[in-house]
């Protein structure tokens, strides 16, 4: 009888996690077990939908005349995104991202914060750091050196719902041609012995 290999400690449940943002060019914290320091700024509470790591790829298949199966496939587009809903809409860092304004411009004067949204927004690329935690077993870190919010959902303000900013963050290639760097503290996979 065939023995099925399984290891419960290699499963991940994204039970907790967080996100941080920093100016473009900020280096990665490098370890999901270490608290990010300035200039990294926290995004605060994230909805219980967690973090969605998106893969969007297109390909072109090449099938020669006379055959029905392709002999080659080329990747024509490869996009990495991260989706999340931040709940702390009053946090300066979060407002800065949502409205594409400098966080320094959100400092209140006599208790009042005032800013205007431009009709012609400029690109607003920043560095992002996301951590996904499953107790002490799994600790995943995603470093996006050049990311930008490319989709923003409508914001609902009502009595029985927390207002949140739902974002899709697109990862762009850095000078090395990489979009996302992974830093994982996960259990070691045991060598396969045939059982």
């Amino acid at each position: 009888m065939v023995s099925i290999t399984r290891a419960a400690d290699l499963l991940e449940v994204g039970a907790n996690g967080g996100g941080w943002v920093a100016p473009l060019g900020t280096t990665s914290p490098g370890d999901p077990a270490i608290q990010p320091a300035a200039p990294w700024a926290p995004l605060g509470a994230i909805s219980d939908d967690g973090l969605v790591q998106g893969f969007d790829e297109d390909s072109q298949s090449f099938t020669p005349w006379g055959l029905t199966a392709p002999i080659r496939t080329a990747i024509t587009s490869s996009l990495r995104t991260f989706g999340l809903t931040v709940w702390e809409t009053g946090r300066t860092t979060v407002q800065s991202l949502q409205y594409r304004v400098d966080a320094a411009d959100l400092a209140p004067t006599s208790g009042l914060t005032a800013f205007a949204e431009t009709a012609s927004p400029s690109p607003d690329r920043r560095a992002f750091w996301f951590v996904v935690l499953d107790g002490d077993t799994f600790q995943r870190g995603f470093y996006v050196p050049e990311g930008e919010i490319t989709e923003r959902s409508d914001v609902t303000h009502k009595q029985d719902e927390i207002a949140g900013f739902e974002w899709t963050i697109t990862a762009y290639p850095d000078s090395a041609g990489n979009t996302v760097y992974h830093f994982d503290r996960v259990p070691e996979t045991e060598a396969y012995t045939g059982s």
Side-chain angles (χ1 to χ4, degrees), residues 125-195:
R125 291 189 184 186
R126 305 186 198 193
F128 290 88
W129 174 248
F130 299 108
V131 171
V132 178
L133 304 172
D134 184 0
D136 294 328
T137 306
F138 261 80
Q139 298 173 339
R140 291 196 185 279
F142 301 102
Y143 170 58
V144 179
E146 292 200 28
E148 182 176 27
I149 298 174
T150 52
E151 291 182 32
R152 293 166 173 80
S153 294
D154 294 343
V155 180
T156 302
H157 305 276
K158 58 184 287 192
Q159 185 176 2
D160 61 350
E161 188 174 317
I162 291 178
F165 297 151
E166 183 180 353
W167 298 331
T168 298
I169 297 165
T170 298
Y172 297 110
D174 63 7
S175 60
N178 299 316
T179 55
V180 180
Y181 292 81
H182 299 250
F183 299 88
D184 298 338
R185 287 190 175 276
V186 298
E188 186 176 342
T189 301
E190 294 185 17
Y192 179 62
T193 61
S195 61

Side-chain angles (χ1 to χ4, degrees), residues 35-177:
Q35 181 69 34
W40 290 99
L43 300 178
I46 295 171
S47 80
D48 55 358
D49 291 328
L51 180 71
V52 178
Q53 181 186 6
F55 296 84
D56 184 7
E57 292 190 332
D58 294 322
S59 61
Q60 175 66 50
S61 296
F62 302 97
T63 304
W65 192 10
L67 294 181
T68 57
I71 60 171
R72 182 172 175 181
T73 301
I75 302 298
T76 58
S77 174
S78 183
L79 181 67
R80 296 296 177 267
T81 60
F82 289 89
L84 70 160
T85 302
V86 292
W87 274 350
E88 294 183 23
T89 58
R91 184 179 286 273
T92 307
T93 304
V94 170
Q95 290 179 350
S96 171
L97 286 163
Q98 176 71 12
Y99 299 110
R100 296 183 186 100
V101 296
D102 192 308
D105 295 339
L106 296 170
T109 303
S110 299
L112 178 67
T113 299
F115 62 94
E117 294 186 58
T118 179
S120 303
S122 300
D124 186 23
R125 291 189 184 186
R126 305 186 198 193
F128 290 88
W129 174 248
F130 299 108
V131 171
V132 178
L133 304 172
D134 184 0
D136 294 328
T137 306
F138 261 80
Q139 298 173 339
R140 291 196 185 279
F142 301 102
Y143 170 58
V144 179
E146 292 200 28
E148 182 176 27
I149 298 174
T150 52
E151 291 182 32
R152 293 166 173 80
S153 294
D154 294 343
V155 180
T156 302
H157 305 276
K158 58 184 287 192
Q159 185 176 2
D160 61 350
E161 188 174 317
I162 291 178
F165 297 151
E166 183 180 353
W167 298 331
T168 298
I169 297 165
T170 298
Y172 297 110
D174 63 7
S175 60

